[in-house]
Amino acid sequence: MMLDFERAHFLSRLRILAGVMLVLMLALLARLWTVQVHQGGGHRQAIARQSIRRIRLNPVRGRLFAADGQTLLVDNRPSFDVMFHIPEMRQPGPRARTLEFILEQARRLAEVSGRPVPFDREDLERHFRVYPALPITVFADLNVAEQAAISELLPPVPGMEIRVRTLRSYPFPGLATHLLGFAGRRPPPDQYERDQFSYVMPELHGRAGLELVYDQLLSGRAGSRLVRVDTLGFVHQQIGDSQEARSGHDLVLTVDLRAQMVAERVLAASGRRSALVAVEVGTGAVLAMASAPSYDLSTLTAADYTRLSEDDANRPLVNRAISAGYLPGSIIKPLIALSALEAGTVSPEELIDCNGGYRLSPKARPIRCWNRSGHGPLNLVGAIKHSCNPYFIEIGQRTGYDRIRPVLAAAGLGEAPALDLNGAGAGLLPTRAWARGHYQRDWIAADTAFLSMGQGALNLSPLQAAIYTAAIANGGTLYRPFLVKAVRDAQNNYRQQTAPQPRHRLPVAKSSLEIVRQGMVAVVNDEDGSAKAARNPAISLAGKTGTAEVGHGENRSKNTWFIAYGPIEEPRYAVAVLVEEGQSGGSTAAPLASQFFATWLRAQ
């Protein structure tokens, strides 16, 4: 009886065990079916991905040409880089073996190329953590000898690739740096696009200057291709058709190459912090725009950029030509004269006596003229020629700020000039509301007095000064300044062309402009004019000097100006020159304009 019971119990346990084993076998079979049949396609794709690369073809970036449409200012050149594809260099066992293998291969390349190994074990560890699927650059920008030595290396390095990319090149190193700007490398911003490729090489994108403003046109469109690689990671077959990259568009600038070269040479020779802007009177096209000190894009490194950014004394990264933080000094006086003539508060013939100072009230301290002994009686042309402060304070008081401000606004002051370059400032053209917020009081007569002589609450840029000088010369039209006159595709077909764009009209009569122009002619061409130093054999000029006192106490200095247009009979060019910490507009800035025009135009 007991034996039968034990036998039945044993059989029961056996059946349970068999059932469990059967369930496990069924589960295993189900898993095998899932892996091999249901998920088989995905695994096959994963295996294929290890031998097939989808490569993004970076486009060739567009170039920048001078105004003649032929002379290159920014070009491209090929750069050959050695890269390691980490997944194709993995070694059996722990990660340390792979790291050591990669370092060993890098040392092999360093030995034949003569370059030091650019990374250590810690750098590789970081790459594994942060960019495990991306290749690592071993050497960048190989020369011909280095390429040959590495290409002939036997046995070949598994997972190595010599990849071509483009770098910017500058046929005229150091020229037009602040205009051209620079480009840096970054991955495509579109995450979806990055996910479509085995790896994505960073491509050039604008970071400053015209490179930034026109980045979308210059960048072009990426292409792609599928390639099969062998067990060593070398491409041995292309799969299907490639989608070719589309090159970026080229820019044809308004910049006259020789004018730009001469402008920069003249400023550099002066040894001062300065700026020069030359524009076409009838269009607003920028012919030259120079800022000193400058720097060389062809040798610029990240370390150089940091050093330049920390130079607070010279601020070489700042484009002074479009920086709108400068007091104008007496170059504002032609606009004050136009305001008074238009308001009828002065006639061209009226004589106003200058005794060396101007009192706003009998008990007020006099506002001094630069000529402490006084100019005596002056008419409007004589006041412009001699830059007499009391004269302009008097007509400013008669006219009042509410009638002066519309003329200054129409001349573009207090308004960003809409230049196709980042950083062009608006400057300051105050309102009565601004005075209440800034001074905690209403606008008063003294504010108008100092503004009328260019020493008040008024800031502008050399570009703004050049543009309103052009407006005075051309009959009153203020044009939008521009640097790019045309856009061309890779086949040299013109896609866009920039037309002159009037922005404002000076609200003054032609007769008023003619009187002011007579005064500006006298500034340069009369024997007692304040800008005799601007005379030159290449072009006749009409102009205005300016000297603005800035700072306080021991830090007080003078920013000196000269604005001009010419030729006098048929104006074509307008120029503004600014020199920081100069002596006077006539002795510091005007000679630079003379040198610029004499050198530029005499050679044409």
Side-chain angles (χ1 to χ4, degrees):
M1 185 71 179
M2 181 62 71
L3 185 61
D4 291 340
F5 173 78
E6 290 179 351
R7 182 181 179 186
H9 181 67
F10 174 76
L11 292 174
S12 176
R13 293 177 64 185
L14 187 61
R15 282 193 292 270
I16 292 172
L17 181 60
V20 171
M21 292 181 66
L22 180 61
V23 170
L24 291 175
M25 288 294 293
L26 290 173
L28 180 59
L29 290 171
R31 180 60 182 160
L32 287 173
W33 180 88
T34 301
V35 171
Q36 294 185 4
V37 179
H38 183 64
Q39 296 179 346
H43 290 299
R44 285 190 293 273
Q45 290 179 5
I47 293 170
R49 279 197 296 270
Q50 296 183 27
S51 60
I52 295 176
R53 296 180 191 159
R54 183 177 176 84
I55 299 176
R56 184 179 191 273
L57 303 176
N58 286 355
V60 176
R61 192 166 177 83
R63 302 163 298 172
L64 282 73
F65 290 83
D68 62 6
Q70 304 296 321
T71 306
L72 275 165
L73 300 178
V74 181
D75 199 359
N76 298 302
R77 68 174 180 85
S79 170
F80 297 88
D81 302 344
V82 175
M83 312 186 72
F84 284 171
H85 294 276
I86 303 300
E88 298 163 16
M89 302 179 75
R90 291 188 184 277
Q91 300 299 300
R95 177 186 292 181
R97 292 189 62 184
T98 299
L99 294 177
E100 184 55 39
F101 178 75
I102 294 172
L103 285 171
E104 180 184 344
Q105 302 309 311
R107 286 191 285 267
R108 286 183 65 197
L109 296 182
E111 185 176 349
V112 300
S113 68
R115 293 195 184 192
V117 177
F119 48 72
D120 55 23
R121 193 182 190 88
E122 184 178 341
D123 296 326
L124 280 178
E125 287 277 11
R126 186 182 307 111
H127 189 86
F128 265 80
R129 291 195 309 270
V130 182
Y131 308 110
L134 297 183
I136 185 170
T137 300
V138 186
F139 299 128
D141 204 12
L142 300 176
N143 61 38
V144 175
E146 291 167 340
Q147 291 177 55
I150 290 175
S151 298
E152 294 174 359
L153 192 66
L154 292 173
V157 176
M160 183 188 80
E161 179 185 8
I162 297 181
R163 186 167 179 79
V164 182
R165 62 188 173 102
T166 58
L167 295 178
R168 284 313 224 184
S169 66
Y170 304 92
F172 301 93
L175 184 75
T177 294
H178 294 97
L179 304 185
L180 302 176
F182 55 88
R185 294 193 175 275
R186 65 174 173 80
D190 188 341
Q191 181 64 47
Y192 175 79
E193 182 178 359
R194 293 199 297 269
D195 291 343
Q196 301 307 300
F197 299 95
S198 302
Y199 60 92
V200 174
M201 294 295 295
E203 65 181 59
L204 289 172
H205 285 276
R207 293 188 177 177
L210 293 172
E211 292 269 25
L212 174 60
V213 175
Y214 289 92
D215 184 59
Q216 188 171 359
L217 284 170
L218 290 166
S219 291
R221 187 180 66 190
S224 65
R225 64 177 175 142
L226 281 176
V227 297
R228 191 182 301 278
V229 297
D230 59 23
T231 55
L232 294 179
F234 290 99
V235 175
H236 68 87
Q237 180 185 3
Q238 179 167 309
I239 302 172
D241 295 329
S242 296
Q243 181 183 353
E244 295 300 325
R246 187 178 68 189
S247 298
H249 290 331
D250 296 332
L251 304 182
V252 180
L253 309 188
T254 61
V255 174
D256 181 289
L257 176 63
R258 181 166 177 80
Q260 184 70 30
M261 294 175 69
V262 171
E264 298 203 16
R265 193 182 309 145
V266 165
L267 295 189
S270 74
R272 299 175 183 267
R273 299 187 298 274
S274 52
L276 186 152
V277 180
V279 300
E280 280 187 348
V281 163
T283 67
V286 177
L287 301 171
M289 181 183 286
S291 177
S294 186
Y295 56 99
D296 188 352
L297 290 170
S298 66
T299 60
L300 184 67
T301 65
D304 292 334
Y305 190 84
T306 300
R307 177 179 53 80
L308 293 170
S309 66
E310 294 172 349
D311 185 355
D312 295 330
N314 294 306
R315 299 185 301 156
L317 296 179
V318 173
N319 185 355
R320 288 173 166 81
I322 60 176
S323 180
Y326 293 102
L327 275 172
S330 295
I331 64 168
I332 202 67
K333 288 174 179 175
L335 297 179
I336 302 300
L338 289 172
S339 303
L341 288 170
E342 189 62 25
T345 52
V346 70
S347 67
E349 300 80 15
E350 180 184 358
L351 298 177
I352 296 176
D353 189 55
C354 168
N355 60 13
Y358 188 94
R359 295 181 186 272
L360 292 170
S361 68
K363 295 183 179 180
R365 294 181 60 183
I367 301 172
R368 295 294 183 184
C369 186
W370 66 267
N371 184 349
R372 295 301 180 92
S373 60
H375 291 105
L378 293 172
N379 62 14
L380 183 56
V381 170
I384 293 174
K385 178 173 72 172
H386 293 293
S387 198
C388 176
N389 287 341
Y391 182 99
F392 284 95
I393 294 173
E394 172 62 26
I395 67 173
Q397 294 298 302
R398 295 182 188 178
T399 307
Y401 186 56
D402 290 338
R403 290 190 286 187
I404 292 174
R405 191 179 187 282
V407 175
L408 301 185
L413 276 63
E415 177 183 32
L419 178 72
D420 47 348
L421 189 67
N422 52 316
L428 172 64
L429 178 61
T431 62
R432 292 184 179 275
W434 176 89
R436 287 190 291 270
H438 188 76
Y439 296 133
Q440 306 301 311
R441 59 166 173 75
D442 288 333
W443 185 272
I444 59 176
D447 297 326
T448 303
F450 283 104
L451 182 141
S452 298
M453 52 188 275
Q455 285 288 158
L458 191 64
N459 289 329
L460 48 71
S461 69
L463 174 64
Q464 288 172 306
I467 288 297
Y468 78 65
T469 302
I472 292 172
N474 69 29
T477 301
L478 190 89
Y479 285 98
R480 179 186 76 84
F482 61 99
L483 281 161
V484 174
K485 70 176 182 179
V487 177
R488 294 190 307 212
D489 63 21
Q491 291 73 43
N492 281 333
N493 299 312
Y494 284 87
R495 297 296 185 181
Q496 299 177 23
Q497 290 185 298
T498 305
Q501 181 181 336
R503 299 188 71 204
H504 299 296
R505 179 83 189 172
L506 295 179
V508 297
K510 290 184 178 180
S511 58
S512 299
L513 286 168
E514 180 57 34
I515 293 296
V516 168
R517 285 196 291 257
Q518 289 178 24
M520 296 175 70
V521 169
V523 166
V524 177
N525 297 283
D526 282 9
E527 285 305 315
D528 54 349
S530 60
K532 291 186 296 182
R535 297 176 189 170
N536 67 88
I539 186 173
S540 59
L541 295 177
K544 183 71 190 78
T545 57
T547 305
E549 295 187 1
V550 297
H552 302 280
E554 295 181 357
N555 296 322
R556 195 168 184 83
S557 64
K558 296 176 181 178
N559 287 342
T560 57
W561 291 87
F562 180 65
I563 58 174
Y565 67 84
I568 294 172
E569 299 78 13
E570 295 183 9
R572 294 179 58 194
Y573 313 115
V575 68
V577 179
L578 164 75
V579 181
E580 296 181 11
E581 297 185 11
Q583 298 301 313
S584 69
S587 63
T588 306
L592 300 187
S594 174
Q595 295 169 35
F596 168 69
F597 279 114
T599 306
W600 171 37
L601 297 180
R602 188 164 51 190
Q604 290 186 349

